[in-house]
Amino acid sequence: MYQPYAHEENQLLLPSEFFLPFGGCLNPNNRWIKLAQMIPWARVDRKYAKSFKKSFRGQKAISVRMALGALIIQERLQQSDRETVETIIENPYLQYFLGLAGYQDRPPFHHSLMTHFRKRLGEKVIAEVNEWIAVEAAKAEQQRDDDDDATPSSPVGRKAKHKRSEPDPNQGTLLLDATCAPADIAYPTDITLLNEAREKLETIIDALHEPHVGQRAKPRTYREKARRSYLSLAKQRRIGYRALRRGISKQLAFIKRDLHIIEGLASITPLTELSRRQYKQLLVIQELYRQQRLMYTKRVHHVEDRIVSIHQPHIRPIVRGKAKAKVEFGAKVSVSMVQGFAFLERWQWDNFNEGVTLIESVETYKARFGVYPKEVMADQIYRNRENRAYCKERGIRLSGPPLGRPSKQADTAVMKRMAKLDAGERNAIEGKFGEGKRKYGLNRIRARLEQTSGAVIALQFLVMNLERRLRLLFVFIFNILLNRTSYRRFAL
């Protein structure tokens, strides 16, 4: 019996202390070295250690810097588990980022441990790390903006100085929006799902009949006939409504027959002969058959908790009404943004109305920054009566025109101009979604488990915030060097 996880004393070495067998030293201005300095490894280490038991028999756990660092590298470079480990072997800067004392040409861990890292950390721990980093950075940006506005040499500064005589209890701008993080699955159709379910059931029948080969006759499943029926429909360029219903009816009949055969085989062969994956697939297919039979009978295309993937039954269809795809299949994500830093407020597989998250997001903003926001920039779906009353009571301006007809005294031109400015400011969070989907894989979540998918989504927002903080750091350093050069030229 021993402690399964040991805290690391030296969480961060200097770049010059990192051993390179081929000579030289690491560049202290490298992005991975700067990123390593931004993450509070010791604080994360204490949080990570609480998830372990006090005593344990088995292999000693890998450090949190190695685990979290490897996941950050994977999401930043958008690589698979194997490719991530290979890239770490080839790059000394990545090894420094993981906390190694020197370069080594062997893998620091097996690639299969990446899944365990995602499970062990989880969405909650990663979201908390994101809170620590993003809140600190957002406060620094807000303070820098306040200092710039308070400069007395500019008209803006004089206005800000005059306003400080009447302090405003609300500060900052909160941006709210929601999006879908699609999973990496093929576009689901009813006929394809039923064909896949039938093939899985035939494999299960083979596994249950195997102990009785030569003793009992194998049940007839008509798999070749069912396959031909499916291909005759799937190969058509355009499938008519009647042909599709006829094909679905046939596949439902084949699945019903297979389920009846499995029920009979289970009386002589225990289901423990099946693998864990096959048993799970059997349960999923039974529910899939019930849903498809119900939709076929009632001639509808909607059912509660509809299954769209046998391998990932937790995925749900999310109706977004976008021009590119009206329906997406994945998790719905509600996000808030402050000073360009994104916070994952809520995510779930079932569809939900993002308008109900406004009050929760505003209260979370107050818990983070100590004050309510001065403005909330949100889409029309957030502007319901409850949210408007809530914001009015707390002195928060909610973007968009008021409800009802515009009054005669209202200046229509001013309201339109204000709405245009609000829409332009709110576009920043749309750009954040575009950045995540184009660059960091938010448009295709490749994790297959329900638990690890949430961890991957939280990781992508963490990486986006780290990258923004890194960009601001480099801009700050560039401005200092530029001012220094300008001062020297003026002195000469």
Side-chain angles (χ1 to χ4, degrees):
M1 303 285 283
Y2 62 88
Q3 192 75 14
Y5 184 78
H7 297 277
E8 290 191 354
E9 298 295 334
N10 298 323
Q11 287 286 342
L12 196 63
L13 297 174
L14 294 175
S16 58
E17 298 175 348
F18 186 81
F19 174 72
L20 293 173
F22 38 78
C25 61
L26 299 179
N27 182 6
N29 293 323
N30 182 270
R31 58 173 178 166
W32 292 106
I33 292 180
K34 295 296 183 182
L35 284 175
Q37 297 170 355
M38 293 179 183
I39 301 175
W41 298 111
R43 192 174 180 182
V44 182
D45 184 79
R46 292 192 294 269
K47 184 76 177 179
Y48 184 65
K50 293 180 180 179
S51 61
F52 291 89
K53 297 179 180 179
K54 293 184 177 180
S55 58
F56 180 75
R57 290 187 182 274
Q59 186 178 2
K60 184 179 178 181
I62 293 177
S63 67
V64 67
R65 181 168 178 182
M66 183 78 69
L68 180 59
L71 295 178
I72 291 175
I73 292 171
Q74 182 182 35
E75 295 304 323
R76 178 61 186 85
L77 302 180
Q78 282 299 290
Q79 296 178 334
S80 64
D81 295 346
R82 292 177 183 270
E83 291 173 337
T84 301
V85 175
E86 291 295 329
T87 306
I88 291 171
I89 298 174
E90 298 165 356
N91 196 326
Y93 287 100
L94 297 183
Q95 296 188 15
Y96 173 86
F97 182 73
L98 296 181
L100 297 178
Y103 175 78
Q104 62 183 38
D105 57 356
R106 63 184 184 277
F109 54 85
H110 195 263
H111 64 84
S112 62
L113 291 178
M114 295 287 288
T115 302
H116 295 280
F117 295 161
R118 287 187 283 267
K119 289 182 179 180
R120 176 67 68 178
L121 287 166
E123 177 262 335
K124 292 184 179 180
V125 175
I126 297 173
E128 194 166 354
V129 176
N130 184 43
E131 289 275 333
W132 299 338
I133 296 173
V135 169
E136 180 183 355
K139 287 181 179 179
E141 283 298 302
Q142 184 66 38
Q143 183 63 37
R144 189 176 293 111
D145 291 346
D146 293 342
D147 294 342
D148 292 342
D149 293 342
T151 305
S153 60
S154 64
V156 177
R158 289 194 294 271
K159 291 180 182 179
K161 189 175 182 181
H162 177 70
K163 287 181 180 179
R164 285 192 175 183
S165 59
E166 299 178 0
D168 191 350
N170 299 352
Q171 297 177 7
T173 301
L174 177 65
L175 279 66
L176 295 176
D177 206 351
T179 188
C180 179
D184 187 22
I185 62 173
Y187 190 88
T189 60
D190 293 337
I191 190 67
T192 304
L193 283 172
L194 291 174
N195 177 71
E196 184 181 358
R198 177 188 56 79
E199 292 177 346
K200 300 293 182 187
L201 291 178
E202 291 168 356
T203 305
I204 293 174
I205 291 174
D206 295 340
L208 293 177
H209 178 69
E210 187 176 359
H212 308 285
V213 173
Q215 302 175 4
R216 298 175 65 94
K218 186 176 182 181
R220 181 171 293 182
T221 57
Y222 297 98
R223 61 185 69 188
E224 293 182 0
K225 181 179 179 181
R227 178 66 177 173
R228 286 195 302 268
S229 175
Y230 163 72
L231 291 178
S232 65
L233 189 66
K235 289 182 178 181
Q236 295 182 19
R237 181 171 297 180
R238 293 183 180 179
I239 306 175
Y241 175 74
R242 291 184 179 179
L244 180 60
R245 277 189 60 84
R246 189 162 51 248
I248 291 176
S249 176
K250 290 181 180 180
Q251 295 299 321
L252 287 172
F254 287 125
I255 291 177
K256 181 180 179 180
R257 181 186 180 88
D258 291 344
L259 290 174
H260 182 70
I261 292 173
I262 292 175
E263 183 179 357
L265 288 174
S267 61
I268 58 175
T269 304
L271 294 180
T272 53
E273 294 292 328
L274 300 177
S275 64
R276 184 177 179 182
R277 175 179 296 181
Q278 288 176 329
Y279 182 72
K280 179 181 178 181
Q281 290 175 352
L282 177 59
L283 298 179
V284 172
I285 291 171
Q286 288 176 340
E287 176 63 17
L288 175 67
Y289 171 76
R290 186 194 67 81
Q291 293 180 358
Q292 292 291 333
R293 170 61 68 180
L294 180 64
M295 290 189 293
Y296 176 81
T297 304
K298 294 188 175 182
R299 295 177 180 266
V300 296
H301 300 281
H302 177 267
V303 69
E304 292 294 330
D305 297 328
R306 183 175 180 178
I307 296 175
V308 295
S309 174
I310 297 177
H311 297 283
Q312 302 181 61
H314 53 272
I315 297 176
R316 297 288 178 265
I318 306 296
V319 180
R320 298 291 295 163
K322 302 295 182 180
K324 183 179 179 181
K326 294 184 179 181
V327 182
E328 296 177 300
F329 304 92
K332 190 169 184 180
V333 181
S334 179
V335 179
S336 67
M337 194 168 76
V338 181
Q339 292 289 332
F341 294 93
F343 299 89
L344 183 61
E345 299 293 347
R346 181 192 292 187
W347 77 276
Q348 64 185 54
W349 297 106
D350 294 322
N351 203 351
F352 63 91
N353 186 347
E354 55 262 36
V356 301
T357 63
L358 184 141
I359 297 177
E360 179 184 353
S361 300
V362 172
E363 292 295 336
T364 307
Y365 180 96
K366 184 181 180 183
R368 289 173 181 143
F369 302 99
V371 294
Y372 283 114
K374 184 183 296 184
E375 299 173 324
V376 174
M377 301 296 170
D379 204 354
Q380 184 176 359
I381 196 171
Y382 291 88
R383 303 169 196 161
N384 54 43
R385 296 185 182 276
E386 182 183 1
N387 291 341
R388 288 178 183 273
Y390 171 84
C391 293
K392 184 178 180 180
E393 182 181 352
R394 288 157 180 79
I396 303 171
R397 188 181 78 85
L398 183 60
S399 63
L403 294 176
R405 294 181 179 180
S407 61
K408 295 181 179 180
Q409 294 79 12
D411 191 344
T412 308
V414 174
M415 292 178 60
K416 288 184 178 180
R417 186 166 61 251
M418 181 64 71
K420 186 176 181 180
L421 292 174
D422 291 345
E425 189 170 356
R426 195 188 68 83
N427 280 341
I429 195 169
E430 297 285 355
K432 183 64 68 174
F433 290 154
E435 177 188 359
K437 292 188 176 183
R438 289 193 309 270
K439 195 173 181 180
Y440 300 108
L442 193 61
N443 64 332
R444 191 182 67 172
I445 306 300
R446 292 181 291 180
R448 299 177 65 87
L449 302 178
E450 183 176 3
Q451 177 184 0
T452 55
S453 296
V456 169
I457 294 173
L459 269 169
Q460 289 168 352
F461 284 98
L462 172 61
V463 171
M464 281 193 285
N465 289 332
L466 286 173
E467 285 295 314
R468 173 166 176 78
R469 192 169 180 181
L470 186 64
R471 288 195 299 269
L472 293 175
L473 175 63
F474 284 146
V475 169
F476 179 72
I477 294 174
F478 176 76
N479 290 335
I480 291 178
L481 296 177
L482 185 63
N483 292 336
R484 241 182 236 177
T485 305
S486 301
Y487 175 77
R488 290 176 181 174
R489 289 180 180 176
F490 178 78
L492 292 176

